[in-house]
Amino acid sequence: MLLQHIGCYAALFETDMTNTFFVHIIGNSKASLWGISGRARLERMLAASKAAVLVENVSQVAETDTVLLLRADYLFDTRVINAMITLNEHKVLVTPVDETPVAILTDGKNAGVMCEVLSEKQPVPDDLPRGTLKDLPVQVQQNLKKKDPPYVLPIRRCNQAELESELFAASYKGVTDLVTKWLWPWPAFMATRLCVRLGLKPNHVTLLSLVFAVLAGVAFWYGAFGAGLIMAWLMTFLDTVDGKLARVTLTSSKMGDVLDHGLDIIHPPLWYLAWGVGLMTTDTPLNNPELLIWLMFIGYVGGRFCEGAFQFWLASFDIFIWHQIDSFHRLITARRNPNLILLTAGWMAGRPDIGFILVVLWHLLSTLFLLYRLFNAWQNRLRDGELHSWMEGIDPVQDRQQLAVRIFTRLPLSQRYDKPVPEEKERIIR
């Protein structure tokens, strides 16, 4: 979804920081990832913060001010930068393999010397505490409903393709529906790459998906279910592509937020309504169509209400990452893509009416389950106090024997590196 990426990169600054902090970027990458250099990528990431001030020269920073120094020839997970900013001590972040310094939190007085350290013109001072990714407090990515290990990876020409794949995979939600999770990734990757090459922006893709959404609804209304399903599936595919394109290119806009979120909420029940009306023109019209349509709307609104009530009144995270059973439920819950599977199956069997009835029943069953889980959460909140997501208690690397961990988390490229990138190390040119 287009503006989920805003949450992804705005998550850099979810901490309760009230003071301005300074950031200085050193050097640049020789390779671009998804058409963006390492320096430009960091600048776009930091632009999401109203408190971050980028400085071209560390002499602009007062001696007592805190400044974060970052190497632009490395790819940073946003959570790593967030964790560095919130540290209470000056520290250098080094890679776990060869202990190359990649980021330093320091003050204005020592910033000049630390820039030399990051440029590898001077060794890391012995009195400066060192840390690796394992030492940083990295939390669940609640906006993307996942908990993946953080990463900091060197940007080289020899690993450009791997890093682009890594960025794309990292842009995916951990907990989502089965179509988005297992069917769309490869074609969405290829489509996203094509969009970057053509210079298309996420909003262009969102507008095209809006066109398909309208055309699908019109086709359903007039009983052209086959044509409507083709356009509906194209719309859902583009709805995946625009979000991935936005995240890998760090592109955002207010219009995209309105278009994407508004479209996602409004169009599914209108599709089902149009399908029900379209059935009146076929050989298999519905009995009591008004009742079925009302039940569909009750199930749809009820499900959305349960999700909103959980996060608004009971917890700070999504209901689908509360317990593992909730995450498995999200794979098939009565959202657009699972419902499209039911409609497609009904149409292919020559019984579009049964497809519609299945969608209505699945809405009601899914909403009943969400109501049950909402009641459980309310009881637990009264009994135990604050609720916690199951993802908070797992290690994506160490706990991979658990089925839920294998399905809803992944091992980033950083966890698969067991040696330095096979390219000669070059001194950073500032």
Side-chain angles (χ1 to χ4, degrees):
M1 297 187 180
L2 179 57
L3 258 289
Q4 290 293 339
H5 73 288
I6 287 182
C8 179
Y9 294 106
L12 258 172
F13 313 105
E14 285 179 348
T15 52
D16 296 328
M17 292 179 295
T18 57
N19 298 323
T20 298
F21 64 92
F22 297 91
V23 180
H24 177 63
I25 302 172
I26 297 174
N28 204 350
S29 61
K30 288 193 172 183
S32 296
L33 304 178
W34 294 105
I36 306 173
S37 68
R39 172 176 283 272
R41 183 169 292 277
L42 285 172
E43 289 173 349
R44 291 189 188 186
M45 289 167 62
L46 294 163
S49 168
K50 296 180 180 179
V53 176
L54 284 169
V55 290
E56 290 296 324
N57 195 314
V58 291
S59 62
Q60 301 173 247
V61 182
E63 290 189 354
T64 57
D65 286 331
T66 300
V67 58
L68 177 64
L69 309 175
L70 300 169
R71 284 181 58 156
D73 62 337
Y74 275 76
L75 175 64
F76 284 86
D77 188 325
T78 55
R79 296 169 297 161
V80 171
I81 300 177
N82 179 52
M84 287 291 295
I85 291 171
T86 57
L87 292 176
N88 294 321
E89 61 175 340
H90 295 173
K91 179 170 284 191
V92 56
L93 180 68
V94 299
T95 58
V97 177
D98 55 8
E99 295 197 347
T100 300
V102 293
I104 296 178
L105 188 68
T106 185
D107 54 29
K109 179 180 180 180
N110 296 299
V113 175
M114 294 301 106
C115 286
E116 299 292 310
V117 173
L118 274 193
S119 301
E120 298 186 78
K121 296 177 181 178
Q122 292 191 28
V124 178
D126 294 335
D127 59 345
L128 183 62
R130 301 188 185 203
T132 63
L133 295 178
K134 293 181 179 180
D135 302 316
L136 297 179
V138 176
Q139 304 300 321
V140 175
Q141 294 169 276
Q142 293 183 7
N143 57 304
L144 292 179
K145 303 182 185 68
K146 65 180 182 179
K147 183 181 182 180
D148 293 340
Y151 58 84
V152 175
L153 299 167
I155 303 175
R156 305 287 186 262
R157 292 192 181 98
C158 62
N159 69 342
Q160 180 180 3
E162 285 182 303
L163 292 185
E164 288 186 340
S165 296
E166 178 68 11
L167 276 173
F168 183 82
S171 72
Y172 255 86
K173 291 181 180 179
V175 177
T176 186
D177 67 86
L178 73 170
V179 174
T180 302
K181 192 169 191 65
W182 289 310
L183 179 61
W184 289 153
W186 184 82
F189 177 86
M190 302 305 294
T192 302
R193 173 173 286 175
L194 179 62
C195 289
V196 171
R197 289 178 178 176
L198 296 177
L200 296 177
K201 303 300 182 184
N203 284 350
H204 298 151
V205 181
T206 303
L207 288 171
L208 182 57
S209 71
L210 173 60
V211 172
F212 279 124
V214 173
L215 291 176
V218 172
F220 293 156
W221 186 276
Y222 288 101
F225 300 121
L229 284 169
I230 291 174
M231 288 180 281
W233 281 114
L234 285 173
M235 183 273 166
T236 67
F237 174 68
L238 292 177
D239 190 41
T240 290
V241 172
D242 67 2
K244 306 307 171 285
L245 178 61
R247 293 185 196 116
V248 299
T249 60
L250 282 73
T251 308
S252 64
S253 74
K254 291 183 179 179
M255 184 180 75
D257 190 14
V258 173
L259 281 175
D260 191 63
H261 283 83
L263 183 60
D264 285 344
I265 293 174
I266 293 173
H267 82 271
L270 296 182
W271 276 0
Y272 313 142
L273 170 63
W275 189 286
V277 172
L279 286 171
M280 298 299 102
T281 65
T282 69
D283 295 332
T284 56
L286 293 171
N287 294 320
N288 297 321
E290 295 84 0
L291 175 61
L292 289 172
I293 289 172
W294 273 110
L295 289 175
M296 178 273 295
F297 274 106
I298 290 171
Y300 180 81
V301 174
R304 291 288 186 167
F305 170 79
C306 291
E307 295 174 35
F310 178 91
Q311 195 161 0
F312 186 79
W313 286 306
L314 300 178
S316 60
F317 51 87
D318 194 287
I319 191 172
F320 294 115
I321 60 171
W322 180 30
H323 287 170
Q324 292 184 1
I325 190 174
D326 302 304
S327 297
F328 282 109
H329 178 223
R330 180 62 180 88
L331 290 172
I332 57 172
T333 193
R335 289 288 191 93
R336 179 191 59 209
N337 289 353
N339 287 334
L340 272 181
I341 293 176
L342 297 176
L343 292 177
T344 302
W347 172 75
M348 293 180 68
R351 294 299 304 270
D353 57 325
I354 292 180
F356 180 81
I357 293 171
L358 288 175
V359 166
V360 174
L361 291 175
W362 189 234
H363 266 112
L364 296 174
L365 290 173
S366 183
T367 296
L368 286 174
F369 182 77
L370 284 171
L371 282 170
Y372 168 71
R373 297 299 294 156
L374 185 65
F375 179 70
N376 283 167
W378 175 68
Q379 287 183 312
N380 286 15
R381 179 67 184 269
L382 291 177
R383 183 181 66 248
D384 304 326
E386 185 179 359
L387 301 179
H388 295 277
S389 167
W390 71 270
M391 290 187 173
E392 296 177 24
I394 58 101
D395 184 318
V397 179
Q398 302 297 326
D399 297 328
R400 300 207 71 75
Q401 73 279 4
Q402 298 182 34
L403 180 61
V405 173
R406 292 199 302 273
I407 290 178
F408 300 114
T409 71
R410 64 183 187 87
L411 289 177
L413 197 59
S414 58
Q415 296 295 322
R416 304 192 291 271
Y417 271 4
D418 56 3
K419 58 183 178 180
V421 176
E423 180 175 306
E424 63 275 9
K425 292 173 62 177
E426 298 177 3
R427 183 169 293 179
I428 306 296
I429 300 175
R430 297 182 58 226

